[in-house]
């Protein structure tokens, strides 16, 4: 079952300079569905629009970001809610209890002058009527921390007394205490060292197993996707260019950009430098015509310079936006697609 549907979503940063408007096309015609209980990974190099996409999914589009078209629909309790046209109060109600957001750089979201316990108290208090029942609050927070393997003493600490990894776990504990159905996490482990990172990812996995929620997990790190994601969507220059189950994307990446992303991961025993994509990503304010990847693509043909490829089926649950990859895989794609019907 789908919990979230994104259809042809466009959100641009509209910048004005010298009386002229310039559009930074950060989310450019994105269509995507998120299924119940899955971890959907979103990957792609810095500046491709991952965080902007996540903010748009939350309906949090404020100037200079502007909604230029498309829809974001939540399917909740048999209701369809178009979050971008929902009144603010209804959107906020839906948020936090049902959707929770771990923003990028969230190591710094905890208020430095408040004890962790007070932050929990005001957050939970804003959503549940706990003022009358402090015991209920205490037991809710304690049992949640214990479930997440965090020491209850953490509640007495100030953020600066905790390590980066612990602060990030506390942020995740805060984001999940109300058992949201959907968690949107933006690079939750990026600022941490590898061992601590593993702990944070494991924590999110444990929460998902226990609470059966759905996670949209943004990280540029493909190794993390290999660990946690069920499906992965690859973004390039504001668009989704490939989408497939995680095993499939690693075993058979079709888009040349995905092939570079996966090919650049180290392999044991191989001491040579792995290939990364040549060149740099285009400016989102000045995209090349046709496929935005064509200037970096080793296989580009004339159609790639003229037309934008759409995301089309290239195997079971596998979509790719590449004229050449789709052509190459057409036989497999059509037979598998038939097989899945
Ligand atoms: N407030 C803003 N005003 C104008 N442009 C912005 C703003 N925030 C982001 N951008 C631009 O939008 C594009 C997408 O940015 P976004 O932060 O969504 O990328 P990202 O994929 O999350 O990158 P990263 O991996 O570095 O977090 C970038 O070109 C960025 O410079
Ligand atoms: Mg980001």
């Amino acid at each position: 079952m789908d919990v979230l549907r994104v259809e042809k979503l466009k959100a641009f940063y509209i910048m004005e300079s010298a009386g002229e408007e310039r559009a930074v096309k950060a989310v450019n015609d994105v269509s995507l569905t998120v299924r119940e209980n899955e971890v959907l990974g979103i990957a792609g190099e810095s500046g491709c629009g991952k965080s902007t996409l996540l903010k748009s999914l939350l309906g949090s589009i404020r100037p200079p970001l502007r909604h230029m078209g498309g829809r974001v629909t939540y399917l909740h309790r048999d209701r369809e809610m178009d979050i971008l046209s929902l009144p603010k109060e209804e959107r906020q109600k839906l948020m936090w209890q049902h959707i929770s957001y771990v923003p990028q750089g969230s190591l710094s979201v905890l208020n430095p002058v408040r004890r962790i316990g007070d932050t929990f108290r005001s957050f939970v208090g804003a959503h549940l009527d706990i003022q009358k029942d402090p015991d209920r609050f205490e037991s809710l927070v304690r049992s949640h921390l214990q479930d997440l393997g965090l020491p209850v003493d953490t509640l007495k600490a100030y953020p600066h007394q905790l390590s980066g990894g612990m602060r990030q776990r506390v942020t995740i504990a805060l984001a999940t205490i109300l058992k949201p159905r959907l968690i949107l996490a933006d690079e939750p482990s990026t600022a941490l060292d590898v061992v601590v990172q593993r702990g944070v990812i494991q924590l999110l996995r444990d929460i998902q197993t226990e609470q059966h929620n759905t996670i949209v997990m943004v990280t540029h790190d493909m190794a993390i996707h290999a660990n946690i994601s069920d499906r992965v969507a690859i973004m390039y220059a504001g668009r989704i260019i490939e989408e497939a189950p995680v095993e499939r994307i690693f075993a058979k990446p079709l888009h040349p950009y995905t092939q570079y992303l996966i090919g650049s991961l180290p392999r044991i025993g191989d001491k040579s430098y792995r290939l990364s994509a040549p060149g740099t990503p285009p400016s989102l304010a000045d995209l090349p015509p046709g496929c935005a990847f064509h200037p970096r693509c080793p296989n580009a043909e004339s159609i790639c310079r003229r037309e934008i490829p759409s995301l089309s089926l290239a195997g079971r649950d596998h979509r790719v936006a590449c004229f050449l990859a789709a052509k190459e895989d057409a036989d497999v794609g059509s037979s598998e697609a038939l097989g899945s019907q």
Side-chain angles (χ1 to χ4, degrees), residues 114-131 133-142 155-156 174 177-178:
R114 300 187 77 190
R115 289 183 199 272
I116 304 293
D118 292 334
T119 300
F120 267 91
R121 195 163 289 114
S122 53
F123 175 70
V124 177
H127 299 279
L128 302 178
D129 193 12
I130 52 154
Q131 263 70 11
D133 194 353
D135 289 349
R136 192 168 144 232
F137 165 77
E138 283 297 322
S139 70
L140 175 71
V141 176
R142 278 170 180 271
L155 293 170
K156 293 194 207 117
L174 200 59
I177 191 161
L178 301 173

Side-chain angles (χ1 to χ4, degrees), residues 216-268:
V216 178
M217 168 82 182
V218 166
T219 172
H220 64 276
D221 189 337
M222 290 301 285
I224 293 181
H225 287 301
N227 275 318
I228 190 171
S229 301
D230 299 312
R231 278 193 312 135
V232 181
I234 311 285
M235 261 186 109
Y236 187 80
R239 292 174 186 274
I240 306 283
I241 51 101
E242 186 158 7
E243 181 196 296
V246 68
E247 302 80 18
R248 168 97 183 176
I249 213 137
F250 277 90
K252 201 169 193 322
L254 293 177
H255 198 287
Y257 177 63
T258 317
Q259 288 167 357
Y260 279 120
L261 277 187
I262 287 167
S264 61
L265 292 174
R267 303 224 161 94
I268 301 236

Side-chain angles (χ1 to χ4, degrees), residues 107 163-166 168-169 188-197 200:
L107 280 181
S163 66
M166 193 54 90
Q168 186 62 308
R169 283 159 196 256
S189 64
T190 301
L192 307 169
D193 71 57
V194 179
V195 177
V196 180
Q197 204 172 61
V200 168

Side-chain angles (χ1 to χ4, degrees), residues 42-308:
I42 297 180
E45 68 202 305
S46 186
C48 70
K50 304 181 296 295
S51 297
T52 311
L53 173 61
L54 228 54
K55 281 183 212 155
S56 310
L57 298 189
L58 291 164
S60 166
I61 297 187
R62 290 188 205 97
L65 188 61
R66 206 187 283 171
H67 176 214
M68 309 298 287
R71 276 159 54 95
V72 176
T73 313
Y74 282 84
L75 298 114
H76 176 63
R77 293 193 182 139
D78 299 328
R79 270 183 68 200
E80 289 200 0
M81 282 180 284
D82 176 352
I83 193 137
L84 297 173
S85 56
L86 217 56
K88 200 170 165 211
E89 310 77 68
E90 277 205 51
R91 181 163 71 84
Q92 280 175 343
K93 216 163 71 187
L94 182 70
M95 287 279 311
W96 295 110
Q97 284 207 27
H98 304 293
I99 309 166
S100 112
Y101 175 45
V102 181
Q104 187 163 10
S106 56
L107 280 181
S108 52
V109 295
L110 297 170
N111 187 335
V113 297
R114 300 187 77 190
R115 289 183 199 272
I116 304 293
D118 292 334
T119 300
F120 267 91
R121 195 163 289 114
S122 53
F123 175 70
V124 177
H127 299 279
L128 302 178
D129 193 12
I130 52 154
Q131 263 70 11
K132 293 183 213 117
D133 194 353
D135 289 349
R136 192 168 144 232
F137 165 77
E138 283 297 322
S139 70
L140 175 71
V141 176
R142 278 170 180 271
S143 72
H144 185 57
L145 291 184
Q146 275 159 358
D147 285 349
L148 302 191
L150 298 179
V152 173
D153 276 359
T154 316
L155 293 170
K156 293 194 207 117
Y158 287 97
H160 73 267
Q161 294 170 318
L162 304 176
S163 66
M166 193 54 90
R167 253 181 298 163
Q168 186 62 308
R169 283 159 196 256
V170 167
T171 310
I172 292 171
L174 200 59
T176 53
I177 191 161
L178 301 173
K179 300 198 177 356
R181 236 178 120 216
L182 182 64
I183 302 170
L184 305 178
D186 195 353
E187 306 270 8
S189 64
T190 301
L192 307 169
D193 71 57
V194 179
V195 177
V196 180
Q197 204 172 61
R198 204 184 301 160
V200 168
I201 297 301
Q202 186 60 43
L203 177 66
L204 275 168
R205 255 182 26 187
D206 293 346
I207 291 171
Q208 207 250 350
T209 312
E210 146 118 18
Q211 299 186 352
H212 303 291
N213 25 33
T214 304
I215 301 181
V216 178
M217 168 82 182
V218 166
T219 172
H220 64 276
D221 189 337
M222 290 301 285
I224 293 181
H225 287 301
N227 275 318
I228 190 171
S229 301
D230 299 312
R231 278 193 312 135
V232 181
I234 311 285
M235 261 186 109
Y236 187 80
R239 292 174 186 274
I240 306 283
I241 51 101
E242 186 158 7
E243 181 196 296
V246 68
E247 302 80 18
R248 168 97 183 176
I249 213 137
F250 277 90
K252 201 169 193 322
L254 293 177
H255 198 287
Y257 177 63
T258 317
Q259 288 167 357
Y260 279 120
L261 277 187
I262 287 167
S264 61
L265 292 174
R267 303 224 161 94
I268 301 236
D270 182 354
K271 302 248 189 270
S272 61
Y273 278 103
R274 314 291 310 177
L275 276 183
S276 64
T280 49
S283 156
L284 300 185
D286 186 19
L287 291 168
C291 169
F293 189 64
H294 90 253
R296 301 172 80 184
C297 183
N299 317 328
E301 289 183 1
S302 61
I303 186 171
C304 311
R305 298 181 193 100
R306 283 193 322 267
E307 286 177 38
I308 299 177

